[in-house]
Structure formats: C-alpha cells, structure tokens
Amino acid sequence: FLNSGLRIKIKDERDGKENEFYYEGGIVSFVEHLNKNKNILHKPIYFEKKTEGLGIDVVMQYNDGYRENVHSFANNINTVEGGTHLSGFYTALTRVINSYIKKHKMSSNGLQGEDVREGLSAVISVKLWNPQFEGQTKTKLGNGNVKGLTDKIVFDSLANFFEENPTIAKTIIGKSIAASKAREAARKARELTRRKSVLASGGLPGKLADCQERDPSKSELF
C-alpha cells in the first residue's frame, strides 16, 4: 500500500502455494480497504507533496460511522503511537474545517478535533532524512519540524480541495457539526444526571435546591 506499484510475491516451494500483493493505487487503495463494507460519504481525498526534505502522502475518506480509523507511517514504519506528522495532520484538519465554516458563515460554535475526526478513515505517510523516533520500538515520530510542515501542507491542500469541491466539503462539515451537537448533548445529559443525583441525596440544605422562580429580577445574584 505504502509504495504504489510495488509488487510482492511470496511462494512456498514445498507445496507450490503462492500469494501476490500489488496495489496500483497505493494508499488510496489502503483507505478504500479500510472503508470496505462501509457507507462512504465521498470519493477519497488524496494529495502528495515534497518540501524541505519531507515527502508526504495523505489520503482521507469519511464514512457514516462514528469510529476514527487513522494510520500513520514514517519511512514505511508504522508509527502506531503517532508523532509530529500525525499531530500536524490533526491540527490542520480541525483548522481548515473551522476556517471553511467561518468563511462561508455556516452555523457552528467552533468544532473540536474529536468532532472533525468522527467517521474518518485516513492514512498519513511521510518520507524524510534522519527520522527521530521516540523509544526503541520506533512507534512515535519525534522530528519537531515535521509538525509545522505537515500542518501547512495539509491545510493548504485541503483548503484548495474544499474550494474546488464544495459539495464534498459541506458533506464533511455537516457530519462534523452533527458530531459536535451530539457531543454537547451528551455532555449536558451527563451534567444533568450528576446534578440530579447530588440534589436527590437529601443531605443538602434547602437553599441549594433548584430555583423555582421564573423572574430573573427576583433570582439573580450580584
């Protein structure tokens, strides 16, 4: 998946069984594989760029589910704990969606990272000289300059894509806004449940009971 056009053949000479792995579409095929049997919302969004010693390939596609499925790689090493390249991608994704909402005056109070990643399947693959990994297992990329470069590339590329494909942009943003509303509703429901449980304990004085007065002039505190 990570090296478009690479063909790998594995043959067991004992019994003649063999398997071949070949994906002409590269990481685009990877995301299509991740979203197999899911209801996708749009075609894969793909962009690649090389700058300042960094090569970056990104593909992303949303489905109508709620689970985030993002994989990151550095020099073909699976960085399962993420790192600076993944942080840059997340920051740019949240920033570009909020920027689009503000620019087009769409109704939203500002989305958080978890809102824009709901239902997202994505692959981020970077190639760079002298990668610095945290720990012996090489599962987290630590190069400080990679975050800013990834952020800028993803922001610029995705902003251009949204302007050229407004239908897809509005589909993604609509899902993100719905996720934000659901998160806020869940938060209020938790707070209400906790508040009711505290007030129902019976151990509080009457002055901490719920206010029954509807007139603000009689119930406001200054």
Side-chain angles (χ1 to χ4, degrees), residues 60-219:
M60 50 187 287
Q61 185 180 45
Y62 283 82
N63 58 63
D64 64 356
Y66 306 103
R67 183 171 174 264
E68 172 190 342
N69 194 2
V70 179
H71 299 265
S72 64
F73 300 85
N75 290 3
N76 285 357
I77 295 171
N78 187 2
T79 48
V80 293
E81 293 185 64
T84 50
H85 55 330
L86 187 60
S87 297
F89 170 76
Y90 282 158
T91 301
L93 179 62
T94 306
R95 200 157 57 92
V96 75
I97 287 181
N98 278 321
S99 176
Y100 190 93
I101 289 173
K102 184 177 180 180
K103 181 178 179 180
H104 294 273
K105 297 180 173 60
M106 300 173 72
S107 177
S108 172
N109 294 324
L111 305 181
Q112 297 183 10
E114 59 188 292
D115 303 326
V116 303
R117 298 197 298 268
E118 185 176 286
L120 170 66
S121 293
V123 177
I124 301 94
S125 177
V126 297
K127 305 284 176 63
L128 68 161
W129 294 104
N130 301 319
Q132 299 168 8
F133 294 100
E134 297 181 11
Q136 295 297 317
T137 54
K138 295 184 177 181
T139 54
K140 187 174 183 179
L141 186 67
N143 295 66
N145 67 316
V146 171
K147 183 179 188 299
L149 291 172
T150 304
D151 185 338
K152 185 178 187 308
I153 290 170
V154 173
F155 182 88
D156 292 344
S157 301
L158 201 52
N160 289 337
F161 181 89
F162 279 179
E163 292 301 328
E164 295 170 1
N165 300 272
T167 302
I168 294 178
K170 289 173 182 176
T171 298
I172 293 172
I173 290 169
K175 180 173 176 58
S176 299
I177 291 174
S180 173
K181 291 179 179 178
R183 173 179 55 78
E184 186 64 19
R187 182 187 66 79
K188 289 180 179 178
R190 286 195 304 270
E191 288 182 353
L192 183 61
T193 301
R194 289 171 185 163
R195 188 159 169 264
K196 282 183 176 179
S197 65
V198 170
L199 293 174
S201 64
L204 293 174
K207 63 184 177 182
L208 293 181
D210 279 338
C211 179
Q212 302 296 321
E213 179 58 59
R214 293 289 182 181
D215 184 357
S217 66
K218 298 179 181 179
S219 59

Side-chain angles (χ1 to χ4, degrees), residues 9-21:
K9 290 183 179 181
I10 300 177
K11 183 177 181 180
D12 188 337
E13 294 183 345
R14 297 170 300 179
D15 54 18
K17 290 183 179 179
E18 62 178 76
N19 281 301
E20 180 174 301
F21 301 91

